[in-house]
């Protein structure tokens, strides 16, 4: 019997030959990505074994959820029943900014909301090992006039507005995304939240000025929780709309404009009923917690982002910052006798004003210092496409030629996996058009930063051995002044930060 991997290699070689014929007019740069060792690393055997145990296919669709406060990334994958199940949770090595959405270029905020990641957003030539562009700003962000660019999930454990993993972690995540594209998924959904949208967290953050925005994206969180399907995302009247469907008897498809009036739509009964029951239960539990005197979370007065405790304890002067340690994180700390990836010596832990780790962080060198040339380790797999969402590469162009080009980054699209329960047969329901208050712009000058235009050089593949710094004592975050501003919209903090990294992602 012919080895399965050999068949896979032959098929890929044939695909590459066809791609060469189709894209003969290209400048040849994309073809070199086929030999990118970092972008073509296989999915680890342990993950493949986990997929087998959970009845998942290697190339089935994926979905990513991220939580700032818990400093965790969840990878969900569609199983053979057609629903998504949790495959693996990764601790985040570093994220920057505050809890809350990104508003303007230079505010150091990592984005929150729903984004779609297409092949063109996968960057195999990142200066931070590997990365994918989140697609910020989406249509909702643009409708509010929010600005920003090159907001990534990448390696190297350094961040200035992004989400940073270790090189080993981003290699795994990148490989899972790559395989889902090979399986036919046009884009995978990336959901970024300030925290897990539980009754406890909603009670703790009840006075945060971003609560109106968080309640809006919680609806999408709830849709996923009750259906275990990727929620369909649309935008109108400067708000998110989830799983909208045509009203009974309607003949025209729905047309959404993020800044325009919402069309008449309904939410299928089976989804709407389940979401309503969950929200009523959450609201009742939140009310009980508030009545019992659950303390209000203190607002940030200068802490720059967070870091999962499994990394913070291994970094000199390390601190979790705005990320909760211990019970606030689902990761079993005892299970990490070693750090889940290589922690670079240039890592900059969250800076807590007045603490010793602020001086340590300020003295740390920038991480992007003369990257080494990539190791010549050719493979037979095709890397994903371009260094950012605005340029297409080999895989993206080939995908388009094959009939499933790069997806629009402003809305989510579902892959060719089993479809959600049909909505056409749902009981007639009164059209539901809901309104959300328009988030107000925060009046703060943006932090300056260099333009994100430099083409990054790739670093060589990481070594199999994982370096692990000895655990260090966690610094205690400085006490922040408690804020009690209620019911407002997305804001950004006015803090300035002296230590900044290279803008190249």
């Amino acid at each position: 019997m012919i080895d399965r991997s050999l068949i896979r290699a032959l098929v890929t070689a044939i695909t590459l030959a066809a791609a060469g014929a189709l894209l003969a007019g290209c400048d040849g740069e994309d073809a070199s990505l086929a030999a990118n060792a970092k972008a073509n690393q296989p999915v680890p055997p342990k993950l493949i074994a986990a997929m087998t145990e959970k009845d998942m296919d290697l190339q089935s669709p994926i979905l990513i959820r991220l939580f700032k406060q818990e400093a965790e990334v969840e990878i969900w994958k569609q199983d053979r029943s057609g629903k998504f199940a949790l495959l693996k949770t990764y601790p985040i090595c570093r994220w920057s900014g505050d809890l809350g959405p990104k508003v303007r270029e230079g505010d150091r905020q990592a984005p929150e909301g729903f984004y779609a990641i297409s092949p063109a957003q996968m960057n195999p030539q990142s200066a931070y090992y590997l990365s994918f562009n989140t697609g910020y700003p989406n249509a909702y962000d643009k409708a509010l006039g929010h600005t920003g660019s090159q907001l990534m999930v990448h390696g190297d454990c350094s961040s200035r507005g992004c989400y940073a993993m270790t090189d080993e972690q981003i290699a795994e995540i990148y490989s899972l995304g790559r395989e889902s594209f090979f399986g036919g998924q046009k884009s995978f959904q990336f959901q970024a939240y300030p925290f897990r949208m539980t009754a406890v967290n909603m009670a703790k953050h009840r006075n945060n000025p971003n609560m109106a925005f968080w309640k809006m994206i919680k609806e999408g969180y709830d849709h996923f929780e009750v259906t275990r399907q990727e929620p369909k995302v649309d935008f109108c009247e400067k708000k998110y709309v989830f799983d909208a469907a045509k009203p009974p008897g309607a003949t025209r498809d729905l047309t959404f404009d993020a800044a325009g009036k919402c069309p008449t739509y309904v939410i299928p009964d089976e989804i709407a009923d389940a979401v309503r029951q969950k929200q009523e239960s959450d609201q009742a539990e939140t009310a009980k917690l508030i009545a019992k005197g659950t303390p209000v979370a203190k607002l940030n007065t200068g802490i720059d982002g967070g870091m999962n405790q499994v990394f913070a304890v291994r970094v000199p002067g390390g601190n979790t910052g705005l990320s909760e340690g211990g019970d606030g994180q689902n990761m079993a700390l005892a299970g990490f006798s070693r750090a889940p990836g290589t922690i670079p010596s240039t890592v900059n832990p969250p800076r807590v004003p007045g603490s010793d780790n602020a001086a340590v962080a300020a003295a740390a060198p920038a991480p992007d210092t003369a990257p080494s040339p990539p190791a010549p380790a050719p493979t037979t797999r095709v890397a994903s496409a371009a260094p950012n969402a605005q340029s297409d590469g080999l895989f993206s162009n080939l995908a388009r030629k094959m009939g499933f080009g790069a997806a629009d980054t402003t809305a989510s699209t579902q892959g060719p996996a089993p479809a959600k329960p049909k909505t056409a047969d749902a009981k007639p329901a009164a059209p539901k058009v809901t309104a959300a208050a328009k988030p107000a712009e925060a009046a703060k000058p943006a932090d300056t930063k260099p333009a994100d235009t430099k083409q990054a050089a790739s670093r060589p593949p990481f070594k199999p051995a994982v370096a692990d710094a000895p655990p260090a004592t966690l610094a205690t975050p400085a006490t922040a002044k408690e804020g009690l501003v209620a019911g407002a919209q997305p804001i950004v903090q006015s803090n300035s930060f002296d230590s900044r990294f290279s803008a190249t992602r």
Side-chain angles (χ1 to χ4, degrees):
M1 180 181 292
I2 300 177
D3 185 77
R4 189 174 180 179
S5 61
L6 177 59
I7 296 175
R8 191 176 177 86
L10 290 172
V11 171
T12 304
I14 294 171
T15 303
L16 279 173
L22 290 171
L23 306 177
C26 296
D27 59 10
E29 179 181 353
D30 293 335
S32 67
L33 300 184
N36 188 309
K38 299 180 300 180
N40 291 300
Q41 294 174 75
V43 176
K46 285 186 177 181
L47 269 183
I48 293 178
M51 292 178 206
T52 300
E53 181 181 349
K54 297 174 184 288
D55 199 29
M56 301 168 176
D57 293 318
L58 174 62
Q59 295 185 343
S60 67
I62 67 168
L63 180 147
I64 297 180
R65 297 201 306 180
L66 181 147
F67 306 95
K68 289 180 177 178
Q69 180 174 279
E70 292 80 7
E72 291 178 357
V73 171
E74 295 178 344
I75 307 298
W76 293 73
K77 196 166 179 64
Q78 196 173 61
D79 61 24
R80 291 189 178 95
S81 74
K83 292 188 175 183
F84 282 86
L86 182 62
L87 175 62
K88 185 171 180 177
T89 302
Y90 295 88
I92 299 175
C93 196
R94 188 72 168 90
W95 62 272
S96 61
D98 198 356
L99 300 182
K102 183 174 183 63
V103 173
R104 59 174 57 88
E105 184 87 39
D107 62 9
R108 293 184 62 89
Q109 282 291 101
E112 294 174 6
F114 287 69
Y115 301 88
I117 314 302
S118 69
Q121 290 162 248
M122 306 291 280
N123 184 5
Q125 296 180 312
S126 174
Y128 293 103
Y129 197 74
L130 290 168
S131 66
F132 65 81
N133 192 316
T134 63
Y136 177 93
N138 63 19
Y140 165 81
D141 303 314
K142 292 176 181 177
L144 294 177
H146 293 175
T147 57
S149 61
Q150 303 298 315
L151 280 302
M152 304 281 183
V153 177
H154 57 67
D156 203 49
C157 193
S158 61
S159 175
R160 56 180 306 280
C162 296
Y163 295 107
M165 317 299 291
T166 62
D167 291 354
E168 291 84 348
Q169 289 176 315
I170 194 61
E172 284 191 18
I173 296 170
Y174 192 100
S175 71
L176 291 169
R178 180 195 67 216
E179 292 299 326
S180 76
F181 294 139
F182 274 113
Q185 188 174 21
K186 295 181 180 180
S187 66
F188 62 83
Q189 194 170 89
F190 175 71
Q191 306 175 3
Y193 300 99
F195 39 73
R196 285 190 166 81
M197 312 300 276
T198 63
V200 173
N201 282 331
M202 298 301 281
K204 287 170 55 179
H205 295 278
R206 60 188 179 273
N207 282 358
N208 192 291
N210 293 299
M211 183 51 70
F213 170 76
W214 291 340
K215 286 182 177 179
M216 179 175 64
I217 62 174
K218 181 182 183 295
E219 185 172 348
Y221 177 95
D222 292 339
H223 277 235
F224 179 73
E225 285 289 304
V226 302
T227 66
R228 287 293 186 257
Q229 297 283 355
E230 178 183 297
K232 177 177 172 287
V233 180
D234 290 297
F235 312 97
C236 59
E237 297 179 6
K238 299 182 180 180
K239 66 179 181 180
Y240 279 83
V241 175
F242 299 98
D243 290 317
K246 293 188 295 186
T251 57
R252 293 185 178 181
D253 291 335
L254 297 177
T255 301
F256 286 89
D257 177 357
K261 182 178 176 58
C262 289
T264 300
Y265 68 87
V266 297
I267 298 174
D269 287 346
E270 62 271 23
I271 298 177
D273 292 344
V275 169
R276 182 171 56 254
Q277 290 176 13
K278 182 182 185 305
Q279 291 179 340
E280 289 174 353
S281 175
D282 290 347
Q283 291 167 3
E285 181 63 23
T286 299
K288 288 181 181 178
L289 291 168
I290 295 174
K292 290 180 180 179
T294 298
V296 175
K298 297 176 181 178
L299 298 180
N300 176 23
T301 59
I303 302 174
D304 180 22
M307 170 181 277
N308 192 287
Q309 189 174 9
V310 301
F311 297 110
V313 297
R314 292 170 169 83
V315 175
N319 193 287
T320 56
L322 296 175
S323 295
E324 293 184 348
D327 294 338
Q329 294 171 338
N330 284 350
M331 305 302 303
L333 299 181
F336 289 101
S337 58
R338 305 182 64 174
T342 304
I343 304 176
S345 60
T346 53
V347 63
N348 186 359
R351 297 180 58 196
V352 181
S355 68
D356 293 338
N357 80 317
V360 174
D368 190 26
T369 56
S372 303
T379 68
T380 59
R381 298 303 305 277
V382 181
S384 298
N388 56 54
Q390 283 70 43
S391 59
D392 293 341
L394 176 61
F395 185 84
S396 182
N397 287 330
L398 176 59
R400 188 177 296 106
K401 294 290 184 180
M402 296 172 67
F404 62 92
D408 182 5
T409 59
T410 64
S412 171
T413 55
Q414 185 76 7
K420 293 189 231 177
K422 293 183 178 180
T423 61
D425 297 331
K427 296 179 294 182
K432 176 181 178 182
V433 179
T434 57
K438 295 190 289 185
E441 289 286 350
K444 109 174 229 322
D447 294 334
T448 58
K449 74 170 186 177
D452 298 329
T453 57
K454 186 177 72 176
Q455 173 61 45
S458 300
R459 281 181 283 171
F462 54 74
K463 298 178 181 179
V466 178
D468 184 22
T473 302
L474 282 176
T476 302
T479 301
K481 182 178 179 181
E482 182 173 317
L484 297 175
V485 181
Q489 297 295 335
I491 61 168
V492 289
Q493 300 294 327
S494 59
N495 316 102
S496 62
F497 300 90
D498 298 328
S499 178
R500 291 184 172 85
F501 294 112
S502 167
T504 304
R505 300 290 188 255

